[in-house]
Amino acid sequence: MPSIAPTERIRIVLARPSHTGNIGAAARAMKTMGFADLRLVAPRHAPDAQAAALAAGAADVLEAARIADRLEEALAGTVLAAGFSARTRDLSHPLRALRDAAPELLARAQEGPVALVFGNETSGLSNEELGHCAMQVAIPANPAYGSLNLAAAVQVACYELASAAGRFAVGEAGEREAATSEDVEALVAHWESAMRESGYLDPARPGRLMERLRRLVARAGLERAEVKFLRGMLAAFEARMRR
Ligand code: SAH
């Protein structure tokens, strides 16, 4: 697997989009997966309030979108253009399934920008437009109705590339970091001393109190942040007892 493709190396190109809402939704789809380079080829309307509404938190991607008159312009500087279309054509490249093509697209992105080209909502990519692409990619879908909404197709494409690059993981933010054995030991010791100080634990007759507490703590599978707040609570009780 190639190393992570730099974000700016994947370019999303929308050829002749009709609905500005789709442009905004595509910008949002891109940003959620970590992509930012959006190009519009001869959009029917420039991005407007409807586009901004659907872009939501991806206003930066939408505002940075560059508009070109022709597809060739939008593809300038790319090392590969992949045309997204579910339809097989007479004169075209073999149809590749997105998931199979993703590693190759990422590998090529190590060399330079790779464009993912999407067609008009009604007519799709024209043969002329596909002619500028070196690869045709399909999102496998229901044979009885496999035509995704434009922004939905952009979302699936960006998701597959981000996944293939191993880009994001659930809980990556580190909020759910598990407590270490040292954290847990320190918590149990803190708990014990607070219980002694309060008189709840009588050192002369400890019973199985500490054993029970250890079992409970072990079963809870505490996170670091949880250990922290429990110890904060104990410290507050201690401070009150000492007043
Ligand atoms: N009616 C058009 C589909 C337009 S959907 C047609 O038959 O081609 C708008 C764009 O979304 C398409 O041009 C294509 O780029 C993308 N898209 C939608 N569904 C897709 C699929 N299953 N596979 C690949 N691209 C798809």
Side-chain angles (χ1 to χ4, degrees), residues 38-59:
L38 175 60
R39 312 289 174 113
L40 311 173
V41 180
R44 183 178 292 171
H45 307 285
D48 55 7
Q50 175 75 1
L54 280 137

Side-chain angles (χ1 to χ4, degrees), residues 84-87 89 117-125 137-139 141 146-150 153:
F84 275 67
S85 173
R87 280 185 288 147
R89 329 252 172 158
V117 186
F118 298 84
N120 171 269
E121 292 90 332
T122 313
S123 55
L125 282 176
V137 178
I139 299 164
S147 178
L148 282 73
N149 160 269
L150 173 58

Side-chain angles (χ1 to χ4, degrees), residues 30-41:
M30 290 169 62
K31 186 166 179 179
T32 58
M33 296 297 129
F35 301 104
D37 185 1
L38 175 60
R39 312 289 174 113
L40 311 173
V41 180

Side-chain angles (χ1 to χ4, degrees), residues 73-234:
E73 267 175 67
L75 297 181
T78 59
V79 296
L80 175 74
F84 275 67
S85 173
R87 280 185 288 147
T88 44
R89 329 252 172 158
D90 302 338
L91 261 185
S92 76
H93 321 284
L95 205 51
R96 304 271 308 267
L98 172 59
R99 192 162 291 177
D100 300 335
E104 188 179 335
L105 295 171
L106 289 173
R108 296 299 303 276
Q110 301 292 310
E111 297 159 20
V114 166
L116 310 186
V117 186
F118 298 84
N120 171 269
E121 292 90 332
T122 313
S123 55
L125 282 176
S126 67
N127 287 331
E128 204 268 326
E129 285 164 336
L130 258 183
H132 290 283
C133 302
M135 189 193 280
Q136 189 182 329
V137 178
I139 299 164
N142 182 0
Y145 185 57
S147 178
L148 282 73
N149 160 269
L150 173 58
V154 171
Q155 182 75 76
V156 172
C158 290
Y159 170 76
E160 283 291 348
L161 285 191
S163 298
R167 199 99 156 270
F168 305 113
V170 171
E172 197 180 59
E175 304 141 16
R176 293 179 163 274
E177 207 184 339
T180 63
S181 62
E182 287 93 332
D183 295 332
V184 172
E185 279 312 310
L187 170 66
V188 170
H190 195 164
W191 214 317
E192 182 173 11
S193 74
M195 288 193 298
R196 278 172 192 261
E197 192 172 337
S198 68
Y200 186 80
L201 173 61
D202 177 359
R205 299 181 54 220
R208 299 176 67 188
L209 188 54
M210 288 312 297
E211 199 183 314
R212 283 179 195 283
L213 181 63
R214 276 185 183 284
R215 265 190 62 191
L216 183 156
V217 167
R219 199 174 61 230
L222 294 174
E223 292 168 13
R224 262 213 144 131
E226 290 168 333
V227 167
K228 209 170 155 199
F229 91 73
L230 286 171
R231 294 198 59 190
M233 200 186 285
L234 291 170

